[in-house]
Amino acid sequence: MLDSRIVRILQETVGKENVSTEQADRICYSYDATQQRFLPDVVVHPGSPREVSLIMKMANAEKIPVFPRGAGSGFTGGSLPTKGGIVLVMTRLDRILRIDEENLIAEVEPGLVTEQFQLAVEKVGLFYPPDPASLKFSTMGGNVAECAGGPRCVKYGVTKDYILGLEIVTPQGDIIRTGGETMKGVVGYDLTKLMVGSEGTLGIITKIIVKLIPLPEAKKTMLVQFDSIDGAAQAVSSIIRGKIIPTTLEFMDATTIDCVRKATSLDLPESTRAVLIIEVDGDQDLINRQAKRILEIIAPLGVISTQVAETQAESEALWQVRRSVSASLRKVNPDKFNEDICVPRSKVPDMIRAIEGISAKHAVPIVNFGHAGDGNIHVNVMVDLKTPGEHDRAHRAIEEIFAETLKLGGTMSGEHGIGITKAPYIPMELDPIAVTYMKTIKRALDPNNILNPGKVFLEDQ
Amino acid sequence: MSGHKKLKDFQEQIEQCVKCGSCRAHCPVFGQQKRESAVARGKIALAQALLEGEITLDKRLVEDMSKCLLCGSCVNKCPNLVPTDEIVMATRRTISKERGLSPLGKMISVALKNPGAVRVLGKTGHRLTGLLFRKVAGNSGLRLRFPVPYIAKDRSLPELASATFLEGQPEFIPGKEGQPTVAFFVGCMINHAYPQIGEATLRVLRFMGLNIILPKAQNCCGLPALSSGDGDTARVLADRNLAAFSEKQPDYILTSCASCTHALAKHYRGLSQDHDDFAAKVMDVHLFLEQAGLVEQLKQLPQGDDNIRVTYHDPCHLRGQGITREPRALLRAIPGIEFVEMEGADRCCGLGGTFSAYHYGMSQGIGSIKAAGIESSAAELVATACPGCMMQLQDSINHAGLKTGVIHLMELIANRLPA
């Protein structure tokens, strides 16, 4: 428990109504989408960068850990208050400060919900592509801190490709600007890139300058059913080799299809062993040409059927198949370990085959779907944690999946981050010297280790 | 006694919440308050903490649980379809069991169990209209002259009827031979405040040649009691309604109030086999009429010269049952009406029964989003299928200074039927 003096200082800083030590609030800010729970001592909703700065200065003086938080929808525990202390909820800072149509940039506050931002820029014909599945509720600050991706990133890149500059409050409470609003800029170290994806361990984001692009005129969605996972995987590499980069290239494996078969009105026969959802966007002429070319390329690869959406409603119906996946996974088993490995695109078929082997070896169902176009596969190890031994079996399977991923030249996490759930596996991927290099940066910037401590790296024993 | 599920019966559903945060995008209350305790995920965490003894049933928890419209917006969008509305209701029942009913809950219980007294109050209220209320500009309702507990002074209210709808009606209206027999469940709002909706519904049902039963002994559906955590009163009312409708066996029990349909069809289930049988006969009048072919009949009516621009608001208690297409199909078929969709037609109006009594400020805030959608639709009338929504929509329209009229779909249809 924090002593009442600290609570009083916090109340004086952000106002009484924005500080709570009530049990109800401590419970409500104890979790994220990992479903793990850690009770904070106090929940604070700051209303300005200055308030954030004052809180960090006080926290340093008092050595109180601070855990910045957006919507709390992360999959790896990046926002969990693992050591009690202060949860700093950034959602009051949710304004769009400007949309600059002349320079195609915008400046926003971190608590803004990503979809709200996208809708606002689309109203003026502009486009902010990163589209994590959580975009209707996750925040821009959280997306930047985790470097969120999404289906459209095959063509458009991920969050880091759109962040030009930031305002951050440093772990010691200073307010600094990184980067700027120009498309080019090489003065000093690129702190913007360092901050993006640093999971709230190096600074608290208080303003974000975003690059925008023109909104594509139209898009076309296709759902293709294949008789084998190999066919679908080959389709992905053939399309890319054919010099076409679709907006999205989502795939679902046979287990996934079994899960969604009843949850969708679409006819998914037993013979379908893999599904690709392919979307192209751009000028109407271009997308018609591209769609035609894609269908030609994949025709010899065991295509069972192809549905092409002509209207927005039809496109929604196709996407519904993909969106019903996450809920229907519970049919396999109640608990899941959700990993988001990424391998070179051409290695997707090898990876899928390896996962099938690991699934059989450990007798745990593994459901695969995700962004095949950029090699980012969502691997869901499905278990029932009430069964003794399931937890360990799942972890052994995950460890082997990571080992195989790295062997194929991939990475453990494409877009979910490390947080606490993947921290134990970091030594598998990163050179010890590289880890030391990173930890040195953290120690230099946050000598008291109070900003989101215990995340990304396991703490030294 | 109540027969409603206990909070611990929801343990499994509570565990199905994976804390993904989807509900943050859809909860109207969260949209106003932006605090986790207001959203479904938070309420489920609190319900779980209550079950596990990690939190006590204190004032704060009571407050948090009161901040739910029971609109079901989160349930429909939840990847695991966790029934947060039911979990909140069960928590409210736990609260009233352990702490007793709230003062408002007690008032509701007494009022609902004593319909005679409500009638006297209603008549007195009607006589004293001028003393108690002032008129809002035009024909858009009344406002209290001085504050009354749980009713804000600037809330627009419908005028109380001088006589209840049921008072003036026969118990049976014969229809054409071979047509089904339907019983009309009127509901408190229509009976006391919006008798014209009852009249209109009867006109439409007669036009369709149906045999109509109007049981005089019918009561409140019980939703206000359930919403305030009073399972016992809800059960008493459910039993009385069962008795009232069992005398003559109707083929269907129809309602023109979305909330009544929701209560009868959903919350009577599981109480007993008889309640289940009753619930199985309950049907929203719009759904029934659409299936009975009213759309085709409306299309055959002579087209008027006038063309009124009308939009439609989805009552949560119909949307939650998947009834969204049928009311629109009827609307489109009415002669002389140009139907336009409004932005956010499926968003809750913000009433939420006891919610708006406790949290009128937030209720208004949610209503103002609705009003913005109505305004940008440029409709002359907003039609809906729930008298509760009508009251709230009128209030939101008055606060936004709009001229849009509010009407029940049954009134719109009845007005266009041949005399």
Side-chain angles (χ1 to χ4, degrees):
Chain A
M1 244 359 234
L2 286 184
D3 76 57
S4 57
R5 185 179 54 90
I6 304 286
V7 176
R8 211 167 45 246
I9 298 173
L10 287 168
Q11 287 174 340
E12 281 161 12
T13 310
V14 300
K16 233 177 161 156
E17 67 283 10
N18 295 311
V19 178
S20 176
T21 53
E22 294 261 3
Q23 181 76 350
D25 288 314
R26 294 171 63 212
I27 290 170
C28 284
Y29 290 92
S30 68
Y31 50 72
D32 70 359
T34 59
Q35 299 186 65
Q36 297 198 39
R37 291 188 41 190
F38 299 89
L39 278 189
D41 293 314
V42 58
V43 179
V44 182
H45 283 78
S48 71
R50 193 182 148 268
E51 290 177 4
V52 175
S53 153
L54 290 172
I55 291 167
M56 287 315 293
K57 284 182 175 158
M58 189 273 286
N60 262 286
E62 304 286 343
K63 311 275 191 297
I64 302 167
V66 176
F67 298 89
R69 180 184 176 98
S73 56
F75 277 128
T76 55
S79 65
L80 291 175
T82 43
K83 295 174 186 294
I86 301 170
V87 163
L88 206 58
V89 190
M90 303 299 287
T91 49
R92 278 177 69 209
L93 300 170
D94 65 350
R95 290 174 303 170
I96 296 175
L97 299 170
R98 61 193 164 119
I99 297 173
D100 178 346
E101 293 179 62
E102 286 186 13
N103 293 301
L104 304 189
I105 59 165
E107 186 169 6
V108 303
E109 293 185 322
L112 177 64
V113 170
T114 304
E115 188 189 52
Q116 298 299 320
F117 177 54
Q118 289 174 331
L119 292 175
V121 300
E122 283 169 25
K123 266 191 188 144
V124 294
L126 295 171
F127 190 35
Y128 174 69
D131 58 344
S134 59
L135 64 88
K136 282 180 188 295
F137 44 95
S138 62
T139 62
M140 288 296 287
N143 286 184
V144 173
E146 299 291 323
C147 189
R152 285 200 293 241
C153 298
V154 183
K155 176 169 176 181
Y156 291 107
V158 296
T159 302
K160 68 179 165 203
D161 300 310
Y162 292 87
I163 307 304
L164 295 175
L166 296 169
E167 179 190 85
I168 59 167
V169 174
T170 68
Q172 307 202 58
D174 299 309
I175 301 178
I176 63 163
R177 284 267 182 184
T178 74
E181 42 192 86
T182 53
M183 293 301 132
K184 297 174 177 174
V186 292
V187 179
Y189 294 144
D190 190 346
L191 297 181
T192 308
K193 278 275 192 293
L194 176 64
M195 286 302 301
V196 179
S198 65
E199 308 195 22
T201 60
L202 300 180
I204 299 171
I205 299 159
T206 48
K207 287 193 183 74
I208 306 164
I209 299 176
V210 175
K211 177 174 85 174
L212 302 170
I213 58 175
L215 183 66
E217 178 189 298
K219 65 179 177 189
K220 195 171 207 122
T221 315
M222 296 171 281
L223 187 144
V224 188
Q225 304 190 26
F226 291 86
D227 63 7
S228 74
I229 188 82
D230 267 351
Q234 276 179 42
V236 173
S237 23
S238 305
I239 292 167
I240 306 279
R241 208 177 324 113
K243 310 279 186 295
I244 299 174
I245 306 281
T247 318
T248 63
L249 249 178
E250 293 287 300
F251 95 104
M252 299 190 282
D253 72 357
T255 327
T256 312
I257 296 163
D258 288 341
C259 288
V260 297
R261 188 167 284 123
K262 287 200 184 73
T264 161
S265 53
L266 199 78
D267 184 30
L268 291 167
E270 295 284 339
S271 54
T272 297
R273 306 311 292 160
V275 162
L276 283 183
I277 298 178
I278 309 167
E279 199 163 86
V280 288
D281 68 1
D283 299 343
Q284 195 67 56
D285 293 351
L286 176 79
I287 63 172
N288 287 340
R289 266 203 325 274
Q290 284 193 339
K292 187 162 163 278
R293 182 74 195 115
I294 288 172
L295 293 179
E296 283 167 11
I297 292 173
I298 64 175
L301 299 171
V303 173
I304 292 177
S305 70
T306 302
Q307 273 107 335
V308 182
E310 298 296 343
T311 65
Q312 181 62 31
E314 287 174 12
S315 164
E316 271 305 306
L318 295 184
W319 275 109
Q320 194 46 47
V321 179
R322 170 70 178 78
R323 292 201 187 106
S324 56
V325 168
S326 115
S328 53
L329 289 185
R330 287 185 61 87
K331 286 178 198 154
V332 181
N333 253 335
D335 304 298
K336 70 172 176 190
F337 290 93
N338 161 6
E339 306 299 340
D340 73 314
I341 58 164
C342 196
V343 293
R345 297 190 254 235
S346 62
K347 296 292 196 311
V348 170
D350 298 335
M351 192 64 222
I352 296 290
R353 266 194 298 274
I355 293 171
E356 280 173 1
I358 294 167
S359 170
K361 180 179 161 196
H362 294 279
V364 284
I366 302 181
V367 186
N368 303 296
F369 57 91
H371 321 310
D374 50 23
N376 189 193
I377 308 169
H378 290 272
V379 180
N380 294 269
V381 181
M382 307 304 300
V383 290
D384 184 349
L385 290 177
K386 291 198 178 85
T387 311
E390 286 271 84
H391 188 271
D392 292 343
R393 270 199 298 170
H395 277 279
R396 280 197 299 276
I398 290 167
E399 207 168 301
E400 283 181 34
I401 291 166
F402 286 161
E404 190 61 30
T405 305
L406 298 173
K407 211 167 84 190
L408 293 172
T411 179
M412 267 156 44
S413 178
E415 55 189 13
H416 291 173
I418 300 302
I420 56 171
T421 62
K422 290 185 200 160
Y425 303 106
I426 277 231
M428 290 176 72
E429 176 160 342
L430 298 179
D431 186 291
I433 300 171
V435 172
T436 305
Y437 200 90
M438 291 182 193
K439 283 181 167 179
T440 307
I441 295 174
K442 166 70 175 168
R443 211 164 24 243
L445 296 176
D446 184 13
N448 295 316
N449 195 30
I450 57 155
L451 184 57
N452 214 5
K455 304 296 169 67
V456 187
F457 308 106
L458 285 182
E459 294 196 299
D460 301 325
Q461 297 304 315
Chain B
M1 153 73 178
S2 83
H4 295 96
K5 280 200 203 171
K6 305 238 173 346
L7 181 56
K8 67 172 168 12
D9 299 330
F10 287 98
Q11 182 71 46
E12 197 184 323
Q13 282 102 322
I14 286 173
E15 282 170 16
Q16 279 172 6
C17 169
V18 294
K19 306 285 183 289
C20 67
S22 289
C23 43
R24 290 171 65 102
H26 306 288
C27 173
V29 181
F30 179 73
Q32 294 296 306
Q33 209 171 32
K34 306 253 170 92
R35 296 288 157 105
E36 191 73 24
S37 55
V39 82
R41 180 172 69 162
K43 294 205 173 73
I44 290 170
L46 292 174
Q48 175 133 34
L50 186 62
L51 281 175
E52 289 169 2
E54 196 191 353
I55 196 167
T56 50
L57 251 180
D58 58 5
K59 208 172 141 218
R60 168 61 201 270
L61 190 74
V62 175
E63 167 91 4
D64 285 338
M65 287 299 159
S66 74
K67 288 177 187 164
C68 176
L69 292 151
L70 304 174
C71 68
S73 303
C74 57
V75 183
N76 293 333
K77 300 289 166 77
C78 171
N80 289 334
L81 300 173
V82 178
T84 305
D85 52 348
E86 291 182 42
I87 292 167
V88 168
M89 281 171 132
T91 312
R92 287 182 186 174
R93 288 196 291 277
T94 307
I95 290 168
S96 62
K97 274 265 175 294
E98 304 222 342
R99 290 174 55 107
L101 282 177
S102 67
L104 176 62
K106 281 185 194 144
M107 281 163 58
I108 289 172
S109 170
V110 171
L112 298 188
K113 284 197 277 203
N114 299 285
V118 173
R119 218 184 81 208
V120 173
L121 264 177
K123 283 192 173 172
T124 314
H126 174 76
R127 269 203 305 277
L128 300 179
T129 297
L131 265 177
L132 296 171
F133 304 99
R134 60 191 172 74
K135 268 197 171 328
V136 186
N139 195 21
S140 46
L142 303 171
R143 280 189 191 163
L144 284 166
R145 288 195 186 276
F146 41 82
V148 159
Y150 305 112
I151 305 178
K153 213 176 144 195
D154 57 346
R155 141 85 71 201
S156 312
L157 299 162
E159 190 167 345
L160 287 168
S162 58
T164 66
F165 165 73
L166 273 169
E167 273 173 67
Q169 299 301 334
E171 284 225 45
F172 182 68
I173 303 169
K176 287 189 197 128
E177 209 163 307
Q179 286 290 335
T181 300
V182 299
F184 182 30
F185 185 94
V186 179
C188 306
M189 290 285 286
I190 292 177
N191 201 28
H192 294 288
Y194 293 99
Q196 69 275 22
I197 300 174
E199 309 275 359
T201 306
L202 286 187
R203 261 195 88 189
V204 181
L205 296 178
R206 278 205 305 265
F207 172 75
M208 296 296 281
L210 300 157
N211 301 292
I212 307 162
I213 306 172
L214 283 150
K216 294 262 161 138
Q218 60 179 288
N219 270 267
C220 167
C221 65
L223 193 62
L226 268 182
S227 154
S228 54
D230 185 358
D232 292 344
T233 299
R235 179 66 197 257
V236 168
L237 296 170
D239 292 348
R240 283 191 199 163
N241 281 326
L242 240 63
F245 282 80
S246 65
E247 213 169 295
K248 297 195 181 76
Q249 282 291 321
D251 300 312
Y252 300 94
I253 298 167
L254 303 181
T255 70
S256 297
C257 170
S259 295
C260 291
T261 319
H262 167 84
L264 302 177
K266 188 170 173 191
H267 295 297
Y268 281 28
R269 272 184 213 278
L271 294 176
S272 79
Q273 185 58 50
D274 287 347
H275 290 83
D276 285 356
D277 295 344
F278 178 94
K281 286 186 182 176
V282 174
M283 208 169 171
D284 166 61
V285 72
H286 307 89
L287 177 64
F288 174 85
L289 289 167
E290 198 263 352
Q291 291 184 357
L294 181 59
V295 170
E296 290 69 28
Q297 300 216 31
L298 288 174
K299 282 181 180 162
Q300 281 160 17
L301 293 176
Q303 299 291 317
D305 308 331
D306 54 341
N307 218 12
I308 309 177
R309 196 175 160 93
V310 184
T311 190
Y312 176 73
H313 159 73
D314 286 291
C316 295
H317 288 145
L318 286 194
R319 177 178 42 70
Q321 302 176 68
I323 305 170
T324 55
R325 187 188 58 80
E326 295 81 2
R328 288 176 170 78
L330 290 172
L331 246 179
R332 285 201 174 91
I334 304 172
I337 281 185
E338 179 205 351
F339 172 68
V340 286
E341 277 293 350
M342 67 165 130
E343 207 175 308
D346 62 347
R347 289 184 60 110
C348 178
C349 66
L351 184 71
T354 51
F355 173 85
S356 71
Y358 289 122
H359 309 291
Y360 183 55
M362 275 200 275
S363 173
Q364 266 188 323
I366 298 164
S368 71
I369 300 172
K370 195 88 223 179
I374 293 171
E375 184 173 19
S376 64
S377 77
E380 293 159 69
L381 286 175
V382 49
T384 190
C386 177
C389 297
M390 286 172 66
M391 181 174 91
Q392 172 78 356
L393 290 171
Q394 187 66 64
D395 186 51
S396 305
I397 284 170
N398 291 350
H399 281 292
L402 306 181
K403 298 268 181 283
T404 325
V406 181
I407 195 164
H408 194 285
L409 196 39
M410 282 297 118
E411 295 180 80
L412 258 185
I413 295 172
N415 289 345
R416 302 294 163 126
L417 294 178

